[in-house]
Amino acid sequence: DVKVTQSSRYLVKRTGEKVFLECVQDMDHENMFWYRQDPGLGLRLIYFSYDVKMKEKGDIPEGYSVSREKKERFSLILESASTNQTSMYLCASSRPLGGFGQPQHFGDGTRLSIL
Amino acid sequence: RKEVEQDPGPFNVPEGATVAFNCTYSNSASQSFFWYRQDCRKEPKLLMSVYSSGNEDGRFTAQLNRASQYISLLIRDSKLSDSATYLCVVPSGGSYIPTFGRGTSLIVHP
């Protein structure tokens, strides 16, 4: 079974802090994704990566950056946390896209609160 | 038109009922589709993949209508444990980035 592990289930930070959310997958997947999920808005794609050191902006990249130095690890960075970034953050991985698309496997999620 | 649309519900049905959800999509080039199940405060989990006209897995049947650009999920003999939000996913655009619908909430009651 694919295992996607997010570093924290719950996290509380203060406004203005730099916040790191880590995600590791163990299935050698090329693609990794970061989403946030808010009530009534569904899952919104922040960034994704299709290879080491490669990244693409999703629908809502503002206020976030990412890092992928190793294939198995994809980090989401909140440069200066703000209260409107309080949300559930979900990491996912998949085999290469293209052709028919591929299903994603999700981590347990991180509930981030910015005070 | 939104890329992937779902009726948010909730669909409130008794145990044993048959219930169906639809999901409409705008990208006619999409070739594959997915249904995920998400329990409250949990991560989405893959329920079914649909690569051709449809797929069946036990009590669950997914069907694809390319002409009208929608996929459906049929659940027969509903169980209390089927209560969840069901997310439709359609790879979109030239790079087939997954696009999620906002989900349909199902509540199965005794």
Side-chain angles (χ1 to χ4, degrees):
Chain A
D1 269 358
V2 176
K3 184 69 174 177
V4 179
T5 303
Q6 294 184 227
S7 52
S8 305
R9 289 297 302 276
Y10 301 93
L11 203 54
V12 180
K13 296 291 183 181
R14 295 205 173 275
T15 303
E17 280 192 72
K18 191 169 186 176
V19 181
F20 294 85
L21 302 183
E22 306 286 349
C23 176
V24 177
Q25 50 95 4
D26 66 358
M27 280 302 290
D28 203 35
H29 282 170
E30 283 77 4
N31 300 311
M32 296 188 76
F33 307 81
W34 275 107
Y35 293 89
R36 65 177 282 177
Q37 187 173 30
D38 301 286
L41 297 178
L43 271 81
R44 293 181 291 169
L45 182 63
I46 304 171
Y47 269 97
F48 70 96
S49 169
Y50 53 89
D51 202 351
V52 176
K53 297 192 185 294
M54 305 301 287
K55 61 185 179 184
E56 294 284 341
K57 293 180 179 179
D59 299 319
I60 51 164
E62 296 78 21
Y64 303 95
S65 62
V66 291
S67 172
R68 190 152 180 216
E69 297 296 317
K70 293 185 178 181
K71 190 175 185 180
E72 67 271 18
R73 185 180 297 270
F74 192 34
S75 303
L76 179 70
I77 303 153
L78 285 66
E79 298 291 344
S80 177
S82 64
T83 55
N84 63 12
Q85 292 179 309
T86 291
S87 186
M88 166 77 125
Y89 289 87
L90 288 156
C91 174
S93 73
S94 77
R95 289 164 55 197
L97 300 173
F100 297 101
Q102 294 291 336
Q104 296 167 295
H105 302 268
F106 284 84
D108 292 343
T110 296
R111 288 201 171 272
L112 175 64
S113 295
I114 308 296
L115 304 180
Chain B
R1 181 181 177 183
K2 293 179 183 173
E3 289 194 58
V4 181
E5 290 197 61
Q6 296 183 252
D7 182 343
F11 285 64
N12 208 318
V13 303
E15 274 186 289
T18 294
V19 62
F21 316 130
N22 280 348
C23 168
T24 58
Y25 61 93
S26 59
N27 185 352
S28 60
S30 297
Q31 296 289 326
S32 58
F33 308 84
F34 307 100
W35 282 103
Y36 284 75
R37 171 199 169 119
Q38 186 173 25
D39 294 296
C40 187
R41 302 177 75 84
K42 300 277 191 175
E43 76 278 16
K45 293 186 177 177
L46 181 66
L47 180 65
M48 298 185 77
S49 302
V50 186
Y51 293 108
S52 56
S53 61
N55 193 8
E56 185 171 332
D57 183 6
R59 297 183 294 109
F60 298 84
T61 300
Q63 291 188 318
L64 169 63
N65 186 316
R66 289 190 189 278
S68 300
Q69 293 185 206
Y70 73 87
I71 58 172
S72 62
L73 179 67
L74 180 78
I75 305 175
R76 289 181 296 275
D77 190 23
S78 299
K79 313 291 185 189
L80 295 176
S81 57
D82 293 335
S83 298
T85 296
Y86 291 84
L87 303 170
C88 168
V89 182
V90 179
S92 301
S95 54
Y96 297 95
I97 300 303
T99 300
F100 281 78
R102 294 188 181 183
T104 296
S105 175
L106 172 66
I107 301 170
V108 182
H109 59 81

